[in-house]
Amino acid sequence: MKHLIDISDLSTTEIDELIEVANDIIENPVKYQEKCKYKKLATLFFEPSTRTRLSFEAAMIELGGNVLGFSEAASSSAAKGESISDTVRVVSYYSDIIAMRHFKEGAPMAASLKSDVPIINAGDGGHNHPTQTLTDLLTIKREKGRLQDLTIGLCGDLKFGRTVHSLINAMIRYENIKFVLISPPELKLPDYIKNDVLDKNNIPYEEYADIEEVVPKLDILYMTRVQKERFFNESDYERLKDSCILTSDKLKTAKKDMIILHPLPRVNEITTAVDDDKRACYFNQARYGKYIRMALILKLLEVN
Ligand code: CP
């Protein structure tokens, strides 16, 4: 039985196959509408979510299956002190596959040790978000036509932003990838990712504090929200929350075919005027999330 806890659980071939299936689902949705008939997806969300939980649920429904679950810890027996292991062990008796989001790093991994069914990490603390990464890869493939030969700007909260950590781990597999890391000093990419992932694999990267000076060289600008919920104190968040804001003015020197991504939700790190720029792909990105999760459910349930 396969789980998806970290993007490294998938080989490059498997990622490419998931993208291929997602593209086929987009083209031929009717072909897939009964693939998961009588199957049940449980969504166990101990942290808030709009896109991930609802796109998982929509994905299973569009595959002909059913969904059950909870959207906050307070409405589950976690509120009475039940452990993750016990919760998952029991829910795996009621469902065929589980998508779990938790505020504790490693919680989905712990869950996978006790589960009778596949576990999908739907985001664990500031650690990883592999299904967002699959969404990002599908979006890049569809919007840029390739996953290699790209200069990718990652901007905002690179310290706590789990989507960025997973995306780096995925993109380093492809040829000729360069990263431009744009953040205030306090929100820089953690050293363990720089050392163990980028340096170890000889992936070139540069670090900047401002978007303007680097935007002309980017093929992709991946914006992120400053992760308020991961800060230890409010005053640090208030000081840093507006450190990287993308405006239409800052895009004047960007390539005409650069794409702007953001895992969403945004707070104010992209002004709404940018939404009308044809390079803004973040709402399409959210749309593609459902299709790649459909492909992932099929894979983990071994449905052909
Ligand atoms: N991108 C993402 O994980 O969004 P949600 O927090 O709304 O699920």
Side-chain angles (χ1 to χ4, degrees):
M1 183 176 57
K2 198 166 169 74
H3 305 285
L4 178 62
I5 305 301
D6 187 297
I7 197 68
S8 59
D9 294 335
L10 295 170
S11 68
T12 308
T13 305
E14 287 176 312
I15 289 177
D16 293 344
E17 281 167 4
L18 286 171
I19 291 173
E20 203 174 307
V21 173
N23 279 325
D24 193 51
I25 294 169
I26 292 169
E27 299 303 319
N28 306 290
V30 175
K31 199 169 108 185
Y32 292 88
Q33 66 189 10
E34 294 202 343
K35 292 275 187 190
C36 287
K37 205 170 173 183
Y38 307 123
K39 299 283 186 192
K40 285 172 284 180
L41 164 77
T43 51
L44 310 186
F45 276 59
F46 296 83
E47 253 198 349
S49 167
T50 295
R51 275 145 294 275
T52 310
R53 185 172 67 84
L54 297 181
S55 67
F56 260 120
E57 295 187 357
M60 190 47 138
I61 291 166
E62 290 190 26
L63 290 168
N66 289 296
V67 296
L68 63 160
F70 52 82
S71 58
E72 52 176 356
S75 62
S76 78
S77 285
K80 302 174 201 161
E82 186 171 51
S83 68
I84 295 162
S85 300
D86 285 0
T87 301
V88 164
R89 188 169 179 164
V90 171
V91 175
S92 73
Y93 302 152
Y94 308 151
S95 57
D96 299 289
I97 186 164
I98 295 173
M100 173 192 269
R101 170 170 289 188
H102 205 285
F103 49 86
K104 276 192 189 154
E105 287 85 355
M109 164 61 88
S112 71
L113 303 176
K114 293 289 178 188
S115 176
D116 286 346
V117 301
I119 298 285
I120 302 169
N121 178 2
D124 61 329
H127 192 214
N128 274 311
H129 194 349
T131 65
Q132 180 63 50
T133 301
L134 292 173
T135 301
D136 300 342
L137 296 178
L138 174 63
T139 308
I140 294 169
K141 188 72 196 249
R142 287 183 69 86
E143 302 290 343
K144 294 296 295 176
R146 65 185 193 276
L147 291 170
Q148 73 281 8
D149 302 319
L150 293 165
T151 299
I152 305 170
L154 302 170
C155 180
D157 185 349
L158 309 186
K159 180 179 180 185
F160 296 118
R162 59 192 173 197
T163 62
V164 163
H165 304 166
S166 291
L167 184 61
I168 289 173
N169 270 296
M171 290 306 301
I172 59 164
R173 301 152 184 244
Y174 297 94
E175 292 285 310
N176 193 24
I177 297 297
K178 296 181 193 123
F179 289 105
V180 178
L181 309 174
I182 311 155
S183 70
E186 294 96 326
L187 298 179
K188 278 186 170 184
L189 192 71
D191 282 343
Y192 75 89
I193 300 179
K194 281 191 218 163
N195 300 338
D196 298 347
V197 182
L198 296 176
D199 293 339
K200 196 170 166 187
N201 291 286
N202 295 317
I203 306 295
Y205 66 92
E206 300 166 20
E207 293 187 288
Y208 293 86
D210 294 311
I211 301 174
E212 284 108 311
E213 58 179 316
V214 290
V215 79
K217 62 169 100 170
L218 303 180
D219 298 305
I220 298 171
L221 175 56
Y222 192 99
M223 297 296 298
T224 62
R225 175 177 66 90
V226 175
Q227 306 273 302
K228 182 179 184 182
E229 62 276 32
R230 316 258 178 251
F231 276 74
F232 292 113
N233 66 68
E234 182 83 18
S235 61
D236 281 351
Y237 171 72
E238 287 299 325
R239 185 166 51 79
L240 293 167
K241 69 181 167 72
D242 293 330
S243 40
C244 292
I245 296 181
L246 184 64
T247 61
S248 299
D249 254 13
K250 291 181 186 173
L251 287 168
K252 280 184 180 152
T253 58
K255 291 179 185 171
K256 295 277 174 270
D257 65 347
M258 186 189 81
I259 60 169
I260 306 161
L261 302 181
H262 189 310
L264 303 179
R266 82 172 141 192
V267 182
N268 55 357
E269 58 278 1
I270 302 180
T271 61
T272 52
V274 175
D275 299 356
D276 296 329
D277 191 304
K278 66 178 182 359
R279 292 168 288 195
C281 292
Y282 30 91
F283 287 109
N284 259 350
Q285 188 181 356
R287 191 165 68 88
Y288 295 143
K290 179 182 71 179
Y291 299 110
I292 200 76
R293 290 182 174 105
M294 288 171 81
L296 180 66
I297 290 169
L298 291 172
K299 177 178 177 56
L300 296 182
L301 290 179
E302 297 179 6
V303 175
N304 295 310

